Amino acid sequence: ADRKAWGTITEYPQWDPSSLDGKYVLFESCSNVTNCGGYVLYDATTYKYLGEMPLSWFDGQDPEPRWDRTGAHSHRFTYRKHMQLRYYDVDTKSDGLIHDFTADFPQYRAATDSTSGYYAYCHEYCSPSADGRYYSFYLQNSGGTYDSRLVFVYDSMLNKVVSSQDVSNTAFKGV
């Protein structure tokens, strides 16, 4: 199906869909008013459609892509997949792992492409810190209950979780 057939959205206005240098714009694509879920890339200077990004919705949730704001990787965005924080570089078309949180929280079975379990999530409202160093997530269960268990902060400079808080009995949406 042609993802450009119906339209594109930026989902929630809390994150900037433009790369740091303004060269690229990343949109969520929609095939109709209720069916959104892939991501497409445009050249922001020529308005040329550059294609679909290799991002899928995992655990029934958005991969939550966010452009690098550190200046080190202007054409790279981070995204989440299961218990991982990953990146995709638009120029080199390379995908890689930044951090796998499975070892940080072994008491929570990680979701996979074929099994339910817990995944790192932040919801559409959040973004990394302005300097790109800190990321906040919470663990959520993909097994139909969508219960949230833990809020945590990851420090990308130290490459480790620096803070966590049990939120098992707290109702919230997003961090």
Side-chain angles (χ1 to χ4, degrees), residues 128-168:
S129 60
D131 62 2
R133 180 174 179 174
Y134 299 101
Y135 292 78
S136 60
F137 294 100
Y138 58 98
L139 294 184
Q140 186 161 301
N141 190 334
S142 65
T145 58
Y146 295 105
D147 61 322
S148 302
R149 293 298 172 140
L150 192 75
V151 171
F152 64 95
V153 176
Y154 168 72
D155 182 329
S156 64
M157 221 173 181
L158 298 176
N159 190 29
K160 69 178 191 174
V161 173
V162 293
S163 177
S164 65
Q165 175 70 43
D166 185 314
V167 294
S168 297

Side-chain angles (χ1 to χ4, degrees), residues 50-140:
L50 300 174
E52 289 188 45
M53 292 292 91
L55 294 177
S56 299
W57 280 46
F58 301 99
D59 317 310
Q61 304 296 331
D62 190 341
E64 302 170 339
R66 302 293 188 263
W67 287 104
D68 181 281
R69 297 287 174 210
T70 65
H73 306 283
S74 296
H75 301 152
R76 181 182 283 188
F77 57 81
T78 60
Y79 68 97
R80 58 155 215 95
K81 179 179 180 182
H82 306 311
M83 289 280 270
Q84 298 177 345
L85 179 61
R86 303 188 62 83
Y87 72 85
Y88 184 81
D89 189 294
V90 173
D91 293 334
T92 63
K93 296 180 177 42
S94 58
D95 182 274
L97 176 67
I98 296 172
H99 191 86
D100 188 337
F101 300 109
T102 304
D104 297 301
F105 306 108
Q107 67 273 36
Y108 298 104
R109 184 175 53 82
T112 66
D113 286 340
S114 58
T115 64
S116 64
Y118 284 88
Y119 56 93
Y121 193 49
C122 75
H123 208 265
E124 290 89 349
Y125 306 112
C126 73
S127 287
S129 60
D131 62 2
R133 180 174 179 174
Y134 299 101
Y135 292 78
S136 60
F137 294 100
Y138 58 98
L139 294 184
Q140 186 161 301

